[in-house]
Amino acid sequence: MVVAPGGAAAPGEGGDQARVGEVPPEAAARGVVGTEKAVRWVWDDTGRWYPRLLADGVRVERCLDLRLAHRLLRGAAATAGSRLATTPSGPFDAAGAAEPDRVESLFDVATPQERPDEDALLAEIGAQDEAVADHPRLRLLLVAESAGALAAAEMRHTGLPWDRRVHDEVLAEQLGPRPTGDARPPRMAELAEQVRTELGAPRLNPDSLPDVLRELRRNGLPVTSTSKWELIGLDHPAVAPLLAYKKLSRLHSANGWAWLDRWVPDGRFRPEYVVGGVVTGRWGSSGGGALQLPKSIRRAVRADEGWCLVVADAAQLEPRVLAGLSHDERMAEAGRGRDLYQGMVDAGVVGSRDHAKLGMLGALYGGTTGQSAAVLPRINRAFPLAMAHVETAARAGERGEVVSTLLGRSSPLPGAQWNQVQADALDDEAGASAQSRARAQTRAWGRFTRNFVVQGTAAEWALCWIAEVRRRLWALGEQGDAGRAPEPFARRPHLVYFLHDELVIHAPQELADEVSAQVRDAAAAAGRLLFGDFPVDFPVSLASARSYADAKD
């Protein structure tokens, strides 16, 4: 075993019996020796070290990311009493290589610190091994999270293939020719002038929310925001051009020419994924909007000549995960070999697929109004085990308690403000407003924990899926002519994009069918790994095409 850059074996990987060698950073590429499957790298941060190996054409089969593991174990209820969880903050509590766009992480993190020295690495490995000694599920989660970190680094290394010419065509079609300097694109300038004319405000800046609200109100429109859902029902000639302007403004600011120059300089989009960047374990992104690619620019995502994009979507992932979590056999049966929502209709639970979807979303997210609430009683009767599982999580959250996913990722405790609101409501002199505020806050936290156990376990399934797909793609070996991806992936199918329950693989065209089969089998394997022999299916819709848009349509 080779451990780098540190000097000890990974937890559970042989301990004193392992062959251990410290590899200095400057010699990392030469440190991979022997059979790659016999090598496990242990390092403080995958995002810090793995790109150096990839740049030298070296792929790492598996690793243990100590920082990711540390964060998980510090927050896990199962290890709350461990030495690792109770010691003061140290170097492994510092920020990693990148921070998520939105702050939704489990802990406030410190400013990045220098790389931990060898003694700190050895101490951390020992503390982690001790913490997970009696928790095999948590150990699996650490392995999956670390595999996700490797995949994230590889996707940044290869990049998502992008056709700048097509992207420019999309922008020109919708915005007009590229403007010079800071000028508005022609179509936006036309709409801005139309809005000014209709509102009688010749100097209005349509990008200024306070100014737009003021002018709308001056024209007799009782608005509180400029959201589409508030404006769309208003009868005024300024509404249509204002909504059109807002739509084009989002495209221009989020994925316009400046974005194209910044993020796709060489025909590859290389965002920085943040593994576990969201509190439930979902990934975040540190820039470029990787998790929010709008439909309008999908056709710019194009495979290399002779290659294709295999796009895989896991169908109704969260409801299926809930069926597995709760061992609700009737719910699992509704989705066996078919669309789960249609299966609910066929079983007589609800009258339409739309009702099934709305009702299930209400169950997962705590919907108490509208159509979802109307069908919830029928879903409760049909799937009592599944509904009891999320209700139990909701009640725990309302009491201010921690809940955990299948593999042991735990929710954070509510903060000091939550506790203060609850305490104020219990005061003998508390008024109706204080009690109402406490009830609303209690219900909101219950909705969070209700969804946490399902969304978090779905994120764990996705990590296992990624890890299995990554392993299977590499096992297919080198095929045909090289694409434009860098080594070691130039002749191999490889992951290029991930979004919650969707994977995109860049593959030689002749391997499209084989890659699709491997992705489908990997989804089934991930289900077995998490839920054993409980009969819950994880079907995947698959399509291959030259462009992302064609595969999605």
Side-chain angles (χ1 to χ4, degrees), residues 80 223 356 362 381 395 409 475:
V223 293
R381 289 193 296 272
R395 300 293 86 77
R409 188 189 304 269

mmCIF file of all heavy atoms in Angstrom, residues 80 223 356 362 381 395 409 475:
data_model
loop_
_atom_site.group_PDB
_atom_site.id
_atom_site.type_symbol
_atom_site.label_atom_id
_atom_site.label_comp_id
_atom_site.label_asym_id
_atom_site.label_seq_id
_atom_site.Cartn_x
_atom_site.Cartn_y
_atom_site.Cartn_z
ATOM 1 N N ALA A 80 -20.804 10.771 18.273
ATOM 2 C CA ALA A 80 -20.803 12.012 19.061
ATOM 3 C C ALA A 80 -19.905 11.926 20.288
ATOM 4 O O ALA A 80 -19.354 12.935 20.737
ATOM 5 C CB ALA A 80 -22.231 12.364 19.474
ATOM 6 N N VAL A 223 -47.614 45.638 -6.304
ATOM 7 C CA VAL A 223 -46.670 44.523 -6.293
ATOM 8 C C VAL A 223 -45.747 44.611 -5.084
ATOM 9 O O VAL A 223 -45.462 45.689 -4.565
ATOM 10 C CB VAL A 223 -45.828 44.502 -7.584
ATOM 11 C CG1 VAL A 223 -46.707 44.184 -8.778
ATOM 12 C CG2 VAL A 223 -45.117 45.833 -7.792
ATOM 13 N N ALA A 356 -50.256 11.549 -8.052
ATOM 14 C CA ALA A 356 -49.260 10.720 -7.369
ATOM 15 C C ALA A 356 -47.983 11.511 -7.104
ATOM 16 O O ALA A 356 -47.424 11.479 -5.998
ATOM 17 C CB ALA A 356 -48.945 9.476 -8.208
ATOM 18 N N GLY A 362 -45.461 16.145 -1.479
ATOM 19 C CA GLY A 362 -45.988 16.643 -0.206
ATOM 20 C C GLY A 362 -45.532 15.799 0.969
ATOM 21 O O GLY A 362 -45.201 16.318 2.035
ATOM 22 N N ARG A 381 -52.609 5.897 3.768
ATOM 23 C CA ARG A 381 -53.256 4.587 3.932
ATOM 24 C C ARG A 381 -52.569 3.515 3.086
ATOM 25 O O ARG A 381 -52.455 2.367 3.521
ATOM 26 C CB ARG A 381 -54.739 4.684 3.545
ATOM 27 C CG ARG A 381 -55.595 5.463 4.537
ATOM 28 C CD ARG A 381 -57.072 5.246 4.271
ATOM 29 N NE ARG A 381 -57.473 5.780 2.965
ATOM 30 C CZ ARG A 381 -57.873 7.030 2.757
ATOM 31 N NH1 ARG A 381 -57.916 7.897 3.770
ATOM 32 N NH2 ARG A 381 -58.232 7.427 1.555
ATOM 33 N N ARG A 395 -41.200 14.647 13.469
ATOM 34 C CA ARG A 395 -41.461 14.878 14.899
ATOM 35 C C ARG A 395 -40.158 15.075 15.664
ATOM 36 O O ARG A 395 -40.075 15.884 16.593
ATOM 37 C CB ARG A 395 -42.244 13.693 15.492
ATOM 38 C CG ARG A 395 -43.603 13.416 14.871
ATOM 39 C CD ARG A 395 -44.624 14.518 15.131
ATOM 40 N NE ARG A 395 -44.540 15.588 14.154
ATOM 41 C CZ ARG A 395 -45.029 15.513 12.914
ATOM 42 N NH1 ARG A 395 -45.614 14.405 12.487
ATOM 43 N NH2 ARG A 395 -44.935 16.541 12.098
ATOM 44 N N ARG A 409 -24.997 9.921 8.098
ATOM 45 C CA ARG A 409 -24.832 11.371 8.075
ATOM 46 C C ARG A 409 -25.958 11.981 8.906
ATOM 47 O O ARG A 409 -27.131 11.652 8.708
ATOM 48 C CB ARG A 409 -24.884 11.910 6.645
ATOM 49 C CG ARG A 409 -24.514 13.398 6.547
ATOM 50 C CD ARG A 409 -24.787 13.939 5.158
ATOM 51 N NE ARG A 409 -24.113 13.200 4.117
ATOM 52 C CZ ARG A 409 -22.903 13.484 3.650
ATOM 53 N NH1 ARG A 409 -22.237 14.518 4.149
ATOM 54 N NH2 ARG A 409 -22.365 12.747 2.697
ATOM 55 N N ALA A 475 -12.844 -0.076 -16.258
ATOM 56 C CA ALA A 475 -12.631 -1.489 -16.586
ATOM 57 C C ALA A 475 -12.884 -1.778 -18.065
ATOM 58 O O ALA A 475 -12.402 -2.798 -18.583
ATOM 59 C CB ALA A 475 -13.531 -2.365 -15.718
#
